[in-house]
Amino acid sequence: MPDSPVGPPTPPESSVGPPTPPVPLAGLLALDELGLRLIAGPADAELLWVHTSEMADPYPYLLGGELLLTAGVLLTDPDTYVARLVEAGAAALGFGVRPVHEAVPPALVAACDRHGLPLVEVDPGTPFTAIARAVWGLMAAARHRELRRVTRAQQALASAAARPDPVSAVLHQLAVRLPGRAALLTADGEELHTAGRPPAPEVRAALTRLAGVLAPGTHPSPASATDTVGEAQLSAYALGGGQGLALTLATGRREPGDHTIAGIAVVLLSLLAAPHQGSGAANRSAALVRLLLGADPAHVAPLLDGDGRWTVVHARRGDGAAPDPLTAAALGAALGSALVDAGLGGEAVRVLVPGGGRIIPQPGWTLGASAAGPADALGAADTRAARALGRAEATRAPLTVDAPVSGLAALLPPGPAAEHARALLAPLTEPLAETLRCWLSLHGSWDRTAVALAVHRNTVRQRIARCGVLLGTDLDDMDVRTELWLALRQE
């Protein structure tokens, strides 16, 4: 009998927002209507999934954290069976009695006790689907409580950010919402602001070391790090802006919504601390003012941070939802930049990332990035990032980078190649040229091109047909496609 998951769980890596909190096994056992009875192992397990299997060895099909339900159809070696479940990370085993077994086999009870796996006896009148439904109900209730907690914390943190002393107020609220110690540290480990009860010396030292893990000098530097000292749960989060500031937390426990609440604080503190991060931020502000007043980007470039190169990133939420400014700012902080266009009105979020570092995928987002380039080429980089985002959406990739011309195309003399490209593509308008470029990059796929350009597939067909007429050539010919692709890459 093949394995089959009960219910529609979403894999953790594709979820948007806080993960679903685990359900305590004790909470499931407390539901009298199910008539479940713990007959072996501890009762302190936490359930992430519900799964049914009648295989002799379901190990290859388990993710870990499951309540595995079985009637023992192929159960022949209870000890090996339980050992494999524990190895796979199963949280508990639910055994349904009758019609296969009149009672739970004593050897299975002994094996579960020996391996420390909770064993639950399922009454003959309780369908497995009823257990699954109860688990999803408990998960939904826990998720609702968590979202309410996160929402209240977000409101409190946002209100604190509007106070006259916003950084201290945000840290104070954070220390209240996540009971413990909150501190803002420099790259050298100096505490700029603190809130909450002072930690023990060994905890303070561990927090300083943990913040050092996030220092910009490490390659690649992570966005967050965690540790444990005794009963203290330690966390550190890098603030955006590239100045090495870090938020550190020491709490007595770690709950599912804590990371989300801390992330909200990181966004707010990144925005609040940006004006106070030294001459680099002042120079960046001066550069933006000069650009707005009409200065040549080449003259402004020396004021900008980094190595003089910039990467443009376009992004859309993976669930299609319109991002709010805080969500967009959180993306910018994760990418290491406070320069974010929130993309209100349905437009893509745009982030200007200093330096030539590697852009990495971000959970819940689809990204398109340009190659790193100088400040006076940001207009072209913006166009390339938009193209890359369209391609990422069309191919369902989390990140696509529009790489610079390379390979055979890079061997062409730039002057004559560009001149030939302009002459060859002269009959095409910009929309037609862009459609042709996208269509060729997606191997002639009508549907993917339509997704990338946000137009109907019939519009793509009409434009490509028009390109063929204006160019006077057969677009089904591979030689023709190759020449056109090289010409389009010269732009």
Side-chain angles (χ1 to χ4, degrees):
M1 175 180 284
D3 282 11
S4 59
V6 180
T10 303
E13 61 269 22
S14 64
S15 63
V16 177
T20 301
V23 170
L25 176 60
L28 185 66
L29 295 173
L31 300 177
D32 294 336
E33 65 270 23
L34 295 178
L36 303 179
R37 187 166 66 94
L38 183 69
I39 59 176
D44 57 355
E46 293 187 325
L47 313 177
L48 295 175
W49 324 94
V50 177
H51 194 72
T52 61
S53 175
E54 297 301 338
M55 298 188 71
D57 180 15
Y59 175 96
Y61 303 96
L62 301 181
L63 297 173
E66 295 91 345
L67 168 61
L68 181 66
L69 301 174
T70 183
V73 174
L74 299 179
L75 181 66
T76 57
D77 184 350
D79 189 78
T80 301
Y81 181 82
V82 173
R84 291 285 283 172
L85 294 185
V86 172
E87 185 180 355
L93 175 64
F95 194 91
V97 295
R98 291 201 294 270
V100 181
H101 295 270
E102 288 299 316
V104 180
L108 183 63
V109 177
C112 287
D113 270 330
R114 186 162 50 253
H115 291 281
L117 180 69
L119 176 60
V120 176
E121 181 186 74
V122 180
D123 186 85
T126 303
F128 285 177
T129 52
I131 299 174
R133 188 164 54 244
V135 170
W136 305 136
L138 291 172
M139 284 185 173
R143 179 63 182 269
H144 180 68
R145 290 193 299 270
E146 179 189 333
L147 290 178
R148 287 183 59 189
R149 173 174 171 254
V150 170
T151 299
R152 289 172 178 170
Q154 179 177 359
Q155 293 170 345
L157 290 169
S159 297
R163 291 173 57 90
D165 54 340
V167 173
S168 297
V170 168
L171 288 175
H172 172 73
Q173 275 298 325
L174 190 59
V176 170
R177 299 290 166 172
L178 308 180
R181 172 78 162 186
L184 188 63
L185 272 60
T186 68
D188 298 327
E190 177 187 358
E191 290 186 345
L192 296 179
H193 300 274
T194 62
R197 59 181 180 273
E202 62 272 19
V203 173
R204 185 191 298 270
L207 285 171
T208 302
R209 290 194 300 270
L210 198 61
V213 174
L214 311 180
T218 57
H219 299 285
S221 55
S224 62
T226 59
D227 197 2
T228 302
V229 175
E231 295 182 357
Q233 304 294 323
L234 312 184
S235 305
Y237 301 83
L239 267 61
Q243 300 300 317
L245 295 182
L247 169 66
T248 61
L249 296 171
T251 60
R253 62 182 185 276
R254 188 174 288 145
E255 297 183 359
D258 291 359
H259 184 72
T260 303
I261 294 173
I264 296 168
V266 167
V267 173
L268 292 172
L269 292 171
S270 296
L271 297 174
L272 293 171
H276 309 289
Q277 289 179 348
S279 60
N283 287 342
R284 186 167 62 246
S285 298
L288 294 176
V289 170
R290 294 186 188 186
L291 285 173
L292 289 172
L293 294 178
D296 189 325
H299 296 157
V300 172
L303 293 173
L304 299 174
D305 293 340
D307 58 4
R309 296 186 299 163
W310 292 82
T311 300
V312 180
V313 177
H314 283 217
R316 284 198 179 90
R317 289 275 297 272
D319 58 3
D324 56 78
L326 278 180
T327 304
L331 173 65
L335 294 174
S337 176
L339 302 179
V340 180
D341 172 6
L344 302 179
E347 298 178 350
V349 174
R350 298 190 295 176
V351 184
L352 197 56
V353 182
R358 184 170 65 93
I359 303 299
I360 61 175
Q362 299 297 321
W365 291 90
T366 300
L367 306 181
S370 71
D376 56 2
L378 285 177
D382 185 50
T383 300
R384 292 184 180 278
R387 292 173 184 167
L389 175 60
R391 182 176 176 81
E393 291 178 317
T395 58
R396 299 182 181 179
L399 167 66
T400 295
V401 178
D402 188 273
V405 175
S406 60
L408 290 175
L411 300 178
L412 299 176
E419 183 178 346
H420 174 72
R422 284 192 296 270
L424 179 63
L425 302 173
L428 303 183
T429 62
E430 178 56 32
L432 290 178
E434 183 61 27
T435 302
L436 180 60
R437 177 188 293 106
C438 185
W439 182 70
L440 290 174
S441 74
L442 294 171
H443 312 291
S445 170
W446 307 110
D447 291 329
R448 288 186 174 184
T449 304
V451 171
L453 298 176
V455 298
H456 195 276
R457 67 194 308 270
N458 289 342
T459 302
V460 176
R461 288 184 176 274
Q462 293 166 3
R463 289 181 182 177
I464 296 301
R466 183 62 178 162
C467 288
V469 172
L470 292 175
L471 296 173
T473 189
D474 181 8
L475 295 181
D476 290 329
D477 188 317
M478 182 55 66
D479 290 337
V480 171
R481 290 192 182 193
T482 301
E483 182 179 9
L484 288 171
W485 176 243
L486 289 174
L488 288 164
R489 291 292 286 166
Q490 297 302 314
E491 291 190 340

